[in-house]
Amino acid sequence: MVTRVVLIGGAILAGALAIRLLMPAVWWAKGRFRLWRAGPPPLHASTHVIWRDPGPVTALDAIYGPGAAGSGPQPPFHFVEEHTTGSQPTVSVRDGQGRVWRVKWGQEVRCETFAVRVASSCGYFAEETHFVGTGTIAGATTLGRARACIDEHDGTFHDARFELDDPAVTKMFEEHSWAWDDNPFVGSKELSGLKVVVMLLSNWDTKDRRDVARGSNTAIFEHEMPDRRREARYLLIDWGGSMGRWGNSLATRGRWDADAFAEQTPGFVTGIKDGCVTFGYAGQRTADVAEGIPLEHVRWFSRYLEPLTEDYLFRALRISGASPEETPRFVAALRDRIGQLLAVAREDAHPLAKDRIA
């Protein structure tokens, strides 16, 4: 009997191991087929951009993020539809100004709201995103997963992320997104800066077009400019793996965890090797994000990190739903990480920048 139990247990473990080993190959094959079937992105843009000079950054930018003053979601909110895809409950609502917002709940709400403010303040494109602590959605009567997030009697909700769905923008996701190693900005200081922002926020969920079978977190948004010219903007659309512990496996990574974020901060910048800054970061695509960032690119980007003062970070965190207890922990760790980058850019003060030059 014992032998039979051992054999069955061994067979189950072997099966689980085989599935784990085979899944990457299945995802790869499925992704390649989807990319082949989709073809290249149907872009009509004459200009391709991934960054623009943010200009002077003030504490008010922490409040408004990518949107303008007063452009946030305005009640009353009316239910439009529920979305069945994605890892978290999500619905679309129409606000009092007729705009449509994708409303999401769960662990990623605060991560995304804060991250888009930092990315935008550093010059990178991001979707207009807001944290709404409490509100009411009318007409939400036939819900699935979101039933646990919206009260079925009076429509009240708490702690939600509102993301603007602008119909004037042509959005290209998944098969028509972009990859870290395949885009018009490979080797540029602007792409290096985006990678630095990703690592600064410990965003381990860096899947791209190559990972389409599991979901790409990159996108291309095509905007019509005032002069009728069309501009393709390259951006990250999911920052939900941020502000916790970086890592390359489910067992080692997390999100929105001030203690874990602070714990990894001393190992953020690890030195300089062959003219490139090295980092302790690990994520879904560690090599593509963390390796090969020239010191000159970090030096250029450091000027856009300096305006992220303690006051700015405090306001950005609080408006994103951070608690009074975790906010100072996050602020201290972020300023420490920024300080490491600034020190390396100046090639002084940071002992690792001196001791590990190769």
Side-chain angles (χ1 to χ4, degrees), residues 69-271:
S71 66
Q74 302 295 322
F77 305 121
H78 294 273
F79 177 78
V80 175
E81 63 178 329
E82 181 173 10
H83 303 280
T84 57
T85 58
S87 60
Q88 305 296 330
T90 307
V91 304
S92 283
V93 303
R94 192 176 304 277
D95 76 357
Q97 295 184 348
R99 295 169 302 171
V100 175
W101 300 82
R102 289 177 67 96
V103 184
K104 182 165 78 171
W105 291 268
Q107 295 178 307
E108 300 177 358
V109 167
R110 291 169 175 80
C111 309
E112 293 187 352
T113 307
F114 176 69
V116 300
R117 279 156 175 74
V118 174
S120 176
S121 294
C122 290
Y124 293 97
F125 301 105
E127 297 174 274
E128 183 174 348
T129 305
H130 300 273
F131 174 83
V132 178
T134 186
T136 302
I137 297 175
T141 55
T142 56
L143 297 173
R145 292 186 301 171
R147 183 181 295 113
C149 307
I150 305 173
D151 189 278
E152 60 181 342
H153 300 295
D154 59 12
T156 56
F157 66 86
H158 301 280
D159 298 347
R161 182 225 66 184
F162 277 60
E163 183 181 87
L164 182 63
D165 187 0
D166 187 349
V169 178
T170 302
K171 307 176 184 70
M172 299 176 208
F173 303 109
E174 302 295 356
E175 293 93 337
H176 291 151
S177 60
W178 55 276
W180 291 103
D181 68 344
D182 184 15
N183 62 78
F185 317 100
V186 171
S188 70
K189 61 183 184 294
E190 292 83 5
L191 183 61
S192 291
L194 180 59
K195 294 176 180 180
V196 170
V197 174
V198 165
M199 293 185 286
L200 175 70
L201 303 178
S202 291
N203 181 24
W204 48 262
D205 197 3
T206 49
K207 299 189 299 295
D208 63 21
R209 187 171 182 262
R210 293 167 291 178
D211 305 298
V212 67
R214 297 187 295 143
S216 173
N217 289 333
T218 62
I220 304 172
F221 284 9
E222 198 172 70
H223 292 250
E224 184 172 336
M225 308 305 288
D227 59 2
R228 310 290 293 179
R229 173 176 56 88
R230 297 194 70 82
E231 181 178 270
R233 300 176 181 176
Y234 292 64
L235 69 158
L236 300 186
I237 56 167
D238 190 339
W239 294 87
S242 302
M243 302 307 295
R245 182 182 299 278
W246 67 59
N248 51 22
S249 72
L250 290 172
T252 60
R253 61 194 182 215
R255 52 168 65 86
W256 198 260
D257 183 335
D259 291 335
F261 191 82
E263 182 183 330
Q264 287 186 325
T265 292
F268 176 54
V269 174
T270 57

Side-chain angles (χ1 to χ4, degrees), residues 49-54 122-125 185 190 234 300-301 304:
V49 291
I50 197 170
W51 178 88
R52 50 90 178 99
D53 192 326
C122 290
Y124 293 97
F125 301 105
F185 317 100
E190 292 83 5
Y234 292 64
W300 166 80
F301 187 59
Y304 301 103

Side-chain angles (χ1 to χ4, degrees), residues 62 110 114 131 243 256-259 261-262 309-336:
R110 291 169 175 80
F114 176 69
F131 174 83
M243 302 307 295
W256 198 260
D257 183 335
D259 291 335
F261 191 82
T309 62
E310 289 188 6
D311 184 42
Y312 167 93
L313 294 168
F314 180 89
R315 289 172 180 253
L317 284 159
R318 294 295 285 142
I319 204 72
S320 302
S323 71
E325 294 75 28
E326 62 196 358
T327 296
R329 293 278 284 163
F330 276 133
V331 170
L334 284 163
R335 284 304 306 173
D336 188 328

